[in-house]
Every structure is written in C-alpha cells, then in structure tokens.
Amino acid sequence: MRHMGNSGKLAIISAVVSAGLLVLLAMTLDETVMYIFLGALAIGYLACVAEVFTRRRYFMLVLGAISTILFIAFGIAFLRMWGLAFNQDENALGSAVSTKDSDIYFYLAALAGCSSLLILFVGAVWPSRRAKAVARPAARRPAPRPASRPSPAPGRTAQRPAARPASGTVKRPAPRTPAKRPTSGSAPQRKPAPKR
C-alpha cells in the first residue's frame, strides 16, 4: 500500500466496508443498511476515480466511464419498463410492457455497475511498473559494510596515509640544500632609502 495515495487507501477501506455491509444487507434486508451500503459504494467509487486520475491511468478511466454510462443507461431502461408496466393508462406512452422483459436490463445494469467498480478499483490499487522497478534493486542491494573510520566532514578532503614500500625499510626525505648566496664578484643590491 506504499505506492498508493490517500485516495487508494480510502478505496480499499470502502471496498472492505461495502463487502461487510453487503453481507449484512443480505441477512437483514434493512433499508437503512442498503443506504449505508450505497453510500460506501459511492465513496469508494469517487476514491477510485481520484486515485486513477492521480496515477494517470487514463485507459482505465475511459473503461470505467464507459461501464458507468452503460450502468446508467440500463438502469434507466429497467426503471422505465417497470414504470410502463405499472401505468394504469395503457395509451399514455404506448403499449404496456410486461415486467418479464425488464429482467435483462436489470442484469445488464448490475453487470455494468460491477465491472465499472472492478475496473476502477484495479486501476487504483494495481502497483505501477515504476514501483516494481524501484522495489527490486532495493531488495538485491548488498548490505552496507560498517565503516571502521568516521567519514570526513563535508567540504574537507580525506587525508590518506602515505603508502609504505613492500620492504621493511622506510624511505626518508632527502636533506635540503642551503640556499645559494651571491658570489663576491656581483655587487650587492641595496634597497633605496625612504624619502623624507
């Protein structure tokens, strides 16, 4: 979960809460639980969209948008057919349609809604190639060796001891020759006296 932002973490939490609420809804069939379940789904959907948009997975975003559009279209078709079936006036909007024909729209709407949530959830949670590439070299890197000497302060160059020769003798520097004095034939140079 390190590769995800806050939206991705919220999407995972919403998915877990929604799964628990779905089980509770199947057991109780309570209207309040259904509204809480739909609210958790809506929060998870928005969190997935935000995370997919943040991670720039536009292909998954387009697939999720197409699935969402199909979910809305099939849901409207399903409700419309039920509205026509329960209409008392048969000539209000044409001939009445039986409720048996609306089942296919319900199943298609459920399939489109689940696929939309699944596509966006995978787009938000699936790790990117960069995260995998960064994790692999870190795992293969050998452990750092302990330093026997403290590292020099920044800005200073490290002073290393001079290399010793292979034999046991140590070379000593050559003695310095004294500076040469001017010969007696040359006239000594005098400094001019300061003017007063």
Side-chain angles (χ1 to χ4, degrees), residues 163-196:
R164 294 187 177 183
S167 64
T169 61
V170 177
K171 291 184 179 180
R172 293 184 181 171
R176 294 182 181 175
T177 57
K180 293 184 180 179
R181 295 185 178 180
T183 58
S184 61
S186 63
Q189 295 179 355
R190 294 183 183 176
K191 294 181 181 179
K195 296 180 180 180
R196 294 183 183 177

Side-chain angles (χ1 to χ4, degrees), residues 30-92:
D30 188 24
E31 187 177 355
T32 340
V33 177
M34 182 186 73
Y35 289 137
I36 296 172
F37 169 71
L38 292 176
L41 275 183
I43 290 171
Y45 179 84
L46 293 176
C48 287
V49 169
E51 183 68 20
V52 169
F53 190 74
T54 302
R55 297 176 77 178
R56 298 178 181 176
R57 295 184 173 177
Y58 299 120
F59 181 70
M60 300 296 268
L61 198 62
V62 168
L63 286 179
I66 291 172
S67 299
T68 304
I69 290 170
L70 289 176
F71 167 72
I72 293 171
F74 290 135
I76 289 174
F78 171 72
L79 294 175
R80 184 76 173 152
M81 291 190 77
W82 270 86
L84 287 174
F86 288 117
N87 192 357
Q88 297 297 324
D89 186 8
E90 293 185 0
N91 297 324

Side-chain angles (χ1 to χ4, degrees), residues 90-114:
E90 293 185 0
N91 297 324
L93 294 171
S95 59
V97 183
S98 65
T99 56
K100 292 180 181 179
D101 297 334
S102 65
D103 290 345
I104 186 68
Y105 292 112
F106 174 77
Y107 294 132
L108 288 174
L111 180 66
C114 291

